[in-house]
Amino acid sequence: MSADNRSYILFDDLYRDHLLPLTFTRPVCELRIGILTIREKWEKWTGQSFSYLTVNYLREKYNLVKSGENLVINGSVTPNRSLVDEILSLSGGEVLMKGNVFVAGCITANILDEFDGLPPKGYTVREAQSDFNHIARLWHIYRLNGSELLSDYRLLTEGRISAPVNSSNNLINPGNIFIEEGAVMDCVTINANPGPVYIGKNTVIMEGSLIRGPLALCEGSILKMGTMIYGPTTIGPYSKAGGEITNSVILGYSNKVHEGYIGNSVIGEWCNIGAGSNASNLKNNFGNVKLWDYATGKFEDTELQFCGLFMGDYTRCGINTMFNTGTVVGISANIYGSGFPGSFIPSFSWGGAAGFETYRLSNALDTIEKCMALHQKPLDENDRNIISQLFTLTGRYRKTI
């Protein structure tokens, strides 16, 4: 079968569970790192449309399209020219590995039905010669954000001309800054010497904002007055940001509008961080940060000194919330009150340092629906079903609080 007749599929493997809670609500390839999601990167690099091979409860929303022959690619791996060439050269019955990581394979439909992310019996295994980024842990998202941002920047801007800006702005190294049409910015300072700065379509950067690249400000997002950003940072589409942000990724549709600090952090979609809230990213004893890992069910040593907040979709915190170094918060939690809550906050938790109770599913769905309506986005039946199933699936974690 010719390559043109193959189905192109991005699959989740065993690393998915290490990336929870962010992958509770999406396949791994829908994570944003750099400017684009992993799926968007593969589609631009290959010129192909991809479907998904993911966990059962996500399949109604993230469909699988298969054919007689299927090129399956690990959704936790990001593309580059060398790797894409290696993968596209695969023939039927061949698999590409990098050590113990299944990178890609050209497999038949009957094998796909039983595919478990391991080389099928009887297939020819080739060792990948290319180096690439592999998103296997939560902190890899912000740690690898700089290299992915640079790769995406080159991919999206090569041969194009940046939109002009008015003379009130102070652009340092403007050749390393790309501004899409519809962006509005006045009295802004951008220093692109440390890395490229990408300003997406219909974004707004208000007066007095200070930006030190690399930065991706994705379509429709807003930086409020006096925002301070240190790269490598990504503000996903239709988000609002303010205060101080360092080396962090906001996946999209989320708000961290007011004064307060996050650093070395990853924030999901449809989140809201209250005014004056802060997330520690460095322990007082300068020791390694331990982080909750859903795959192992315990706190694991990241071997990092700097590690902040990881917040699942639909979660909110009230004003002046304080997060410990290396805090993992599940989906649809509501956190408030004085003091530091624990470093692991399960999904659908309501409360804070004084204690938590379960956030009722009906109330959670009602709040999510109202939040999405602010962006003229409906809470469709697929998302409602996913959230409802997750309420049940995550119940065992709430028994620990």
Side-chain angles (χ1 to χ4, degrees):
M1 179 175 288
S2 71
D4 289 341
N5 294 323
R6 297 188 295 197
S7 288
Y8 289 75
I9 299 165
L10 287 160
F11 71 90
D12 288 345
D13 68 1
L14 59 89
Y15 294 100
R16 171 192 177 267
D17 287 355
H18 292 289
L19 296 167
L20 297 170
L22 298 174
T23 51
F24 271 139
T25 47
R26 58 177 60 78
V28 175
C29 67
E30 288 299 319
L31 291 171
R32 186 175 304 277
I33 179 170
I35 303 172
L36 304 169
T37 66
I38 297 173
R39 174 188 55 81
E40 289 169 340
K41 298 173 197 287
W42 281 107
E43 291 186 339
K44 286 189 174 295
W45 276 99
T46 64
Q48 300 291 337
S49 294
F50 282 77
S51 66
Y52 310 86
L53 183 56
T54 185
V55 293
N56 287 334
Y57 73 86
L58 291 175
R59 290 189 183 182
E60 285 298 316
K61 179 174 181 179
Y62 298 100
N63 299 46
L64 173 64
V65 178
K66 58 184 178 180
S67 59
E69 191 169 271
N70 305 273
L71 187 63
V72 297
I73 300 175
N74 193 322
S76 62
V77 167
T78 64
N80 57 62
R81 181 74 276 157
S82 174
L83 181 61
V84 169
D85 288 345
E86 280 196 84
I87 289 174
L88 293 182
S89 71
L90 289 173
S91 300
E94 290 187 325
V95 166
L96 191 67
M97 299 286 293
K98 186 78 168 182
N100 62 355
V101 176
F102 187 114
V103 179
C106 192
I107 64 179
T108 57
N110 63 312
I111 295 292
L112 186 63
D113 291 336
E114 305 295 330
F115 180 63
D116 59 1
L118 298 172
K121 187 176 181 180
Y123 273 54
T124 301
V125 176
R126 290 166 43 183
E127 182 69 15
Q129 302 304 303
S130 307
D131 292 322
F132 51 83
N133 284 334
H134 181 212
I135 315 303
R137 295 292 188 276
L138 285 171
W139 60 88
H140 290 173
I141 298 172
Y142 72 79
R143 294 271 291 179
L144 297 174
N145 197 49
S147 62
E148 287 298 320
L149 206 158
L150 177 59
S151 174
D152 289 349
Y153 183 89
R154 290 169 174 166
L155 182 67
L156 293 174
T157 66
E158 186 176 9
R160 301 176 61 210
I161 298 174
S162 175
V165 295
N166 66 55
S167 59
S168 72
N169 296 289
N170 177 27
L171 305 185
I172 302 169
N173 193 2
N176 216 20
I177 300 169
F178 192 92
I179 301 166
E180 298 281 7
E181 293 295 333
V184 176
M185 47 191 288
D186 295 288
C187 303
V188 171
T189 295
I190 300 177
N191 182 358
N193 278 333
V197 173
Y198 175 86
I199 308 299
K201 293 180 182 178
N202 304 319
T203 52
V204 176
I205 309 180
M206 296 184 182
E207 307 90 283
S209 293
L210 302 172
I211 296 167
R212 185 176 178 84
L215 169 71
L217 183 67
C218 298
E219 181 174 355
S221 286
I222 297 171
L223 298 185
K224 302 301 286 289
M225 287 196 296
T227 302
M228 296 181 291
I229 294 185
Y230 301 82
T233 288
T234 295
I235 309 296
Y238 301 99
S239 297
K240 295 179 182 178
E244 185 177 355
I245 301 173
T246 301
N247 187 197
S248 295
V249 175
I250 296 175
L251 297 186
Y253 296 96
S254 289
N255 296 333
K256 186 237 170 277
V257 176
H258 304 289
E259 292 300 316
Y261 175 76
I262 63 169
N264 310 107
S265 298
V266 185
I267 308 298
E269 293 187 339
W270 306 107
C271 296
N272 190 76
I273 297 178
S277 296
N278 292 280
S280 170
N281 64 338
L282 177 66
K283 295 172 68 173
N284 284 346
N285 65 2
F286 303 99
N288 288 357
V289 178
K290 291 186 176 181
L291 199 70
W292 175 263
D293 190 319
Y294 281 88
T296 64
K298 59 184 181 180
F299 287 90
E300 300 285 355
D301 189 349
T302 65
E303 300 182 355
L304 300 173
Q305 276 190 313
F306 291 91
C307 190
L309 170 66
F310 300 87
M311 180 178 283
D313 291 359
Y314 311 118
T315 284
R316 298 161 302 287
C317 67
I319 62 171
N320 297 320
T321 303
M322 298 185 294
F323 292 100
N324 282 298
T325 316
T327 293
V328 174
V329 187
I331 74 160
S332 192
N334 191 359
I335 306 146
Y336 58 87
S338 61
F340 288 89
S343 296
F344 170 54
I345 301 173
S347 301
F348 302 96
S349 296
W350 177 289
F356 286 95
E357 59 187 53
T358 296
Y359 193 2
R360 291 181 182 177
L361 177 60
S362 58
N363 292 347
L365 288 168
D366 181 63
T367 301
I368 291 167
E369 191 166 31
K370 289 175 180 176
C371 173
M372 295 179 69
L374 294 174
H375 287 271
Q376 290 75 54
K377 291 274 190 179
L379 177 60
D380 65 27
E381 203 59 32
N382 280 335
D383 285 327
R384 186 179 291 272
N385 288 337
I386 290 168
I387 295 164
S388 298
Q389 289 185 71
L390 284 170
F391 182 81
T392 301
L393 289 171
T394 60
R396 61 192 178 100
Y397 299 107
R398 291 188 291 279
K399 294 177 182 178
T400 66
I401 59 175

